[in-house]
């Protein structure tokens, strides 16, 4: 039985990809309602579409990133709500900040651990439920990420609408830490370098590239060579180190790090955004 494609489904895909309404409907029909397959369908037809991002799950709220006193660990917490009116409320922001401070002081490693931690005599989850009763709209402890490294930088962008954590192999200046964090905020890389990209995603990108090339009439070794080039271009655009540095497009992020210190490395990062 074919999936029922609603106007809401079409609009959702359109908002996520930027593709035209009719193209989105056809992609969903051809993909039997599977959103990920629909995105691949659009790309195979040569359309430039925005990547699906898990951070689209949160509509409103605040995101706060903060490091420990010794700068060797950092946390980022997303506290979700329904309206930006609540998100901009000073008490709501303070509540989110208290959860972040608790995460650092208790050493919580997962969202579940943070939700079960004690805050002013009750669990964080219970405190969140108290906020629901108090405010009158849905409040969720939506996301929690933690990074530990020799040095961690925390960055908050856009009035608590995005939080970034970056781990470095050695202590860095505030300027260097912020430069890399802002790069991640602006360019949204999926990994530090190609080695951090899952084999499944690499295979998916190669399959898409091969089908695009086949549509142009190229086959065999030539198609394989072009596909590898397209995958390498994907790495260059979507992983941190080979990306063009936003403050100086004549160099890559990797080049910038080497100019700071030959041995300096980004050991990991996380980026959480609203919208």
């Amino acid at each position: 039985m074919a999936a029922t494609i609603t106007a809401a489904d079409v609009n959702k895909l359109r908002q996520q990809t930027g593709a035209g309404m009719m193209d989105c409907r056809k992609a969903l029909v051809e993909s039997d309602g599977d959103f990920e397959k629909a995105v691949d369908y659009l790309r195979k037809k040569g359309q430039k579409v925005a990547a699906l991002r898990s951070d689209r799950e949160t509509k409103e709220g605040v995101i706060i990133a903060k490091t420990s006193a010794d700068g060797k660990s950092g946390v980022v917490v997303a506290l979700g709500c329904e309206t930006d009116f609540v998100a901009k409320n000073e008490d709501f922001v303070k509540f989110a900040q208290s959860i972040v401070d608790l995460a650092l002081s208790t050493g919580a490693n997962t969202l579940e651990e943070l939700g079960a931690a004690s805050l002013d005599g009750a669990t964080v989850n219970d405190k969140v439920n108290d906020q629901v009763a108090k405010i009158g709209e849905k409040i969720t402890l939506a996301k929690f990420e933690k990074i530990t490294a020799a040095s961690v930088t925390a960055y908050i962008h856009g009035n608590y609408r995005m939080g970034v954590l970056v781990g470095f192999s050695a202590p860095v200046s505030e300027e260097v830490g912020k430069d890399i964090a802002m790069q991640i905020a602006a360019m949204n890389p999926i990994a530090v370098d190609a080695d951090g990209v899952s084999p499944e995603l690499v295979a998916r990108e190669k399959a898409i590239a091969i089908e695009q090339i086949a549509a142009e009439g190229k086959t065999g070794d030539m198609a394989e060579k072009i596909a590898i080039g397209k995958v390498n271009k994907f790495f260059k655009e979507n992983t941190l180190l080979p990306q063009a540095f936003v403050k100086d497009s004549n160099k890559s992020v990797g080049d910038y790090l080497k100019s700071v210190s030959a041995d300096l490395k980004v050991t990991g990062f996380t980026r959480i955004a609203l919208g």
Side-chain angles (χ1 to χ4, degrees):
M1 183 181 293
T4 301
I5 309 302
T6 67
D9 292 333
V10 175
N11 189 50
K12 179 181 176 182
L13 183 62
R14 183 171 181 267
Q15 289 179 356
Q16 289 179 339
T17 64
M21 190 74 75
M22 295 305 295
D23 291 325
C24 287
R25 174 172 289 281
K26 185 174 181 181
L28 285 167
V29 169
E30 293 294 328
S31 305
D32 202 27
D34 186 306
F35 275 76
E36 189 167 317
K37 289 180 180 178
V39 172
D40 285 354
Y41 175 90
L42 290 168
R43 293 180 63 197
K44 287 172 182 177
K45 296 301 180 183
Q47 296 219 26
K48 293 182 178 179
V49 301
L52 287 169
R53 302 291 184 186
S54 61
D55 54 26
R56 292 190 184 276
E57 294 169 4
T58 304
K59 291 185 177 180
E60 292 296 339
V62 297
I63 297 176
I64 299 177
K66 189 173 182 178
T67 59
S68 58
D70 63 6
K72 294 185 177 181
S73 66
V75 300
V76 56
V77 170
L79 186 66
C81 61
E82 294 181 40
T83 64
D84 70 342
F85 176 78
V86 169
K88 292 176 180 178
N89 181 276
E90 184 178 352
D91 289 339
F92 185 77
V93 175
K94 285 182 177 178
F95 177 56
Q97 289 171 334
S98 71
I99 296 175
V100 169
D101 290 338
L102 181 69
L104 287 170
S105 65
T106 61
N109 291 305
T110 66
L111 185 65
E112 291 73 21
E113 288 181 7
L114 181 57
S118 178
L119 178 63
D120 296 332
T123 67
V124 171
N125 287 334
D126 286 341
K127 289 290 186 180
V128 169
N129 288 334
D130 288 345
Q131 290 289 312
V132 174
K134 177 182 177 182
I135 295 172
E137 68 177 58
K138 185 178 180 181
I139 309 296
T140 58
L141 184 60
K143 293 181 181 179
F144 169 69
E145 297 286 347
K146 181 179 182 178
I147 280 184
T148 58
S151 177
V152 178
T153 292
Y155 172 67
I156 300 172
H157 180 77
N159 194 27
Y160 302 114
R161 295 193 68 81
M162 181 188 298
V164 174
L165 295 173
V166 193
F168 295 93
S169 60
V172 297
S173 68
E174 183 178 344
E175 179 184 5
V176 170
K178 187 175 181 181
D179 281 346
I180 300 301
M182 290 180 69
Q183 174 84 24
I184 293 165
M187 301 306 295
N188 198 9
I190 60 175
V192 174
D193 55 24
D195 290 339
V197 181
S198 71
E200 293 79 12
L201 182 54
V202 174
R204 176 183 172 186
E205 289 300 316
K206 187 174 180 181
I208 290 170
I210 288 174
E211 188 153 341
Q212 289 174 337
I213 295 160
E216 298 169 3
K218 299 181 178 69
T219 58
D221 292 342
M222 177 61 72
E224 179 75 14
K225 188 174 181 180
I226 295 173
I228 291 172
K230 284 180 174 288
V231 172
N232 287 334
K233 182 181 179 183
F234 172 81
F235 290 148
K236 184 175 181 180
E237 293 175 348
N238 293 280
T239 63
L240 177 64
L241 297 185
Q243 280 184 340
F245 185 40
V246 291
K247 291 182 69 174
D248 182 356
S249 60
N250 292 318
K251 64 175 68 172
S252 68
V253 174
D255 292 335
Y256 170 69
L257 288 172
K258 287 178 182 177
S259 73
V260 175
S261 172
D263 298 324
L264 182 61
K265 300 183 185 303
V266 171
T267 59
F269 67 84
T270 189
R271 173 188 184 275
I272 296 177
L274 296 174

